[in-house]
Amino acid sequence: MATALGTRLVDSVTPADVLQVLAKLTKLSPQSREHVRMAGQGLYSFLDEKAGLFSGPNPFKKAGKVRVPKREVGFYTPEQVAQLFAALSPEHRPAVATSVLTGLRKGEVRVLRKDEVHLVERYLLVRRSGHRDTTKGGRERRVPIPEVLVPTLEEQLATPGPHLFPRPGTTKPFGPSWRIHDIIRRALVRARLVQAWTHVCRRKGCGFREERQNDAPSRCPRCNFQLWPKGTPLTLRFKHLRSTWGTVAYQTTKDIRLVAEVLGHADVETTRAHYAVALPEHVRAGSDAVAATLDPWRPRGVKTEEAQVLPRKVEDLHGGRNVNKNEGLARQRKAGEGRSIPTGQFPKPQATGSIPVGVTRPASQPHGKQGVLLSGDVQARSLDRVPGGLPSFLYVIPHRARDAGRGPRRIAPCRWTLPWVENCIFMVKQ
């Protein structure tokens, strides 16, 4: 940030300069750019409130926050936790187990001391985080120790030095450069928890790369050299062990205040926004419950409980026949391929100028005079297939009326969607 602003005096920096600096940080994510802006805002606040070397509006505050897209907090599934734990080296398993079973932050795990572990009362007294003399929330808190974690903590208490997780072979804790995120990334690949596999040709000058869904051995199509598969791990890191505890703890207990107290959140809404999310199986169960209530296939008058045992196929809901099939739809035949309709199969059209399906229209008859006779079990919306466009009105002979010897009934287009139209024989006049 100092390099970007050059030798500008503190009083000469304007909000426009801050926006220009942030715009140049194209390689950083929106969240990282917001961190840069917050660091500058904190610097000016210190110079103004504590050091007394600056007075006036804070240019980093006036520039406004960087818009950061809100995304769900990632977390491990129980199966992924087991796979990751098995792929880790023994010296890193205690720290990972402590974080996923207590919800501690990376900095809190790194500087945890042995005198802060109370196995008899079964709690950890969290006092500091990273290089701070206090936690991120500015207060101490007690974190319960689950029973399954006790043997691991007993082994760590037997190690030399005052710190619970010292570096291997020393009594000092891991420093700020503890690359536990890289350790997690490599362990995810070993556990085959990857997004994809990138097959790379390592022969000098070839440069072949191809993304695949497996790491099966293969050869380069360019130079026939053996390809090297490189896994792209899932976007899960050490910090997601904490979010895994928070998510599962809320889903198990439904006590948002308990989760907030253990995680050290001063505001319950912070816990609710980040960790009070539904697991995939809960989402599916809720979706099925809503679908059972809004089931469009459920017949009228049938309760939700009764509808769960009813068939869901279209054929089963319409007496064994599919009303959406093209059987019985009007089809135009090629000229000269006319056929006669068997006597008694359809009633004789009573609309003037109508021509039954399959009967060739004389060439001298105007197109607008053509009518169509449709077979019995056809939905009304299939009338859009009538040659020459939609008809002006529709003549219907219900099956019962046909059996009683009654004639056709004329209905307007606005009533074509009536349910009883499906069980009619249609005659159309245009």
Side-chain angles (χ1 to χ4, degrees), residues 18 42 153 205 214 248 253 332 359 362 385 417 430:
V18 176
L153 295 181
N214 57 70
V248 177
T253 64
Q332 269 195 310
V359 179
R385 304 193 180 191
T417 57
Q430 293 181 294

Side-chain angles (χ1 to χ4, degrees), residues 40-155:
Q41 179 177 330
L43 174 62
Y44 270 80
S45 298
F46 173 80
L47 295 176
D48 183 15
E49 301 172 3
K50 299 293 182 65
L53 300 177
F54 171 79
S55 61
N58 192 324
F60 284 86
K61 186 176 181 179
K62 289 289 185 179
K65 296 182 179 181
V66 178
R67 182 175 297 179
V68 180
K70 292 185 178 181
R71 297 184 176 90
E72 289 188 357
V73 177
F75 56 88
Y76 295 86
T77 63
E79 295 78 11
Q80 291 173 343
V81 171
Q83 292 176 268
L84 173 65
F85 197 77
L88 285 169
S89 57
E91 62 267 19
H92 296 118
R93 289 178 183 176
V96 170
T98 302
S99 179
V100 76
L101 294 177
T102 60
L104 296 185
R105 299 181 178 92
K106 170 189 171 184
E108 297 170 345
V109 172
R110 183 171 63 84
V111 298
L112 195 63
R113 300 176 65 90
K114 294 179 180 179
D115 57 355
E116 298 168 347
V117 180
H118 302 269
L119 290 181
V120 179
E121 295 84 0
R122 294 271 296 276
Y123 72 88
L124 298 173
L125 183 59
V126 183
R127 294 176 174 175
R128 60 186 63 84
S129 176
H131 62 279
R132 303 184 183 94
D133 294 332
T134 182
T135 61
K136 184 178 179 180
R139 60 188 180 91
E140 297 180 357
R141 72 181 191 275
R142 293 188 178 188
V143 177
I145 300 175
E147 185 177 356
V148 295
L149 187 60
V150 171
T152 300
L153 295 181
E154 290 177 346
E155 294 178 1

Side-chain angles (χ1 to χ4, degrees), residues 259-274:
V259 179
E261 183 66 25
V262 174
L263 294 179
H265 291 162
D267 189 359
V268 177
E269 293 302 321
T270 302
T271 311
R272 193 186 310 277
H274 288 82

Side-chain angles (χ1 to χ4, degrees), residues 76 80 84 87 183-194 233-237:
Y76 295 86
Q80 291 173 343
L84 173 65
I183 296 171
I184 294 292
R185 282 173 56 90
R186 292 191 291 267
L188 288 173
V189 175
R190 290 195 298 270
R192 306 184 68 82
L193 298 175
V194 299
L234 299 177
T235 56
L236 297 173
R237 301 295 180 266

Side-chain angles (χ1 to χ4, degrees), residues 37 118 158 175 208 212 240 244 272 274 349 359-360 393 402 404:
R37 189 201 65 82
H118 302 269
F208 176 80
R212 302 176 185 176
H240 296 109
T244 299
R272 193 186 310 277
H274 288 82
V359 179
T360 305
F393 24 81
R402 180 194 61 180

Side-chain angles (χ1 to χ4, degrees), residues 169-184:
T170 67
T171 60
K172 298 180 179 180
F174 289 96
S177 60
W178 186 29
R179 307 296 296 178
I180 188 62
H181 291 306
D182 294 337
I183 296 171
I184 294 292

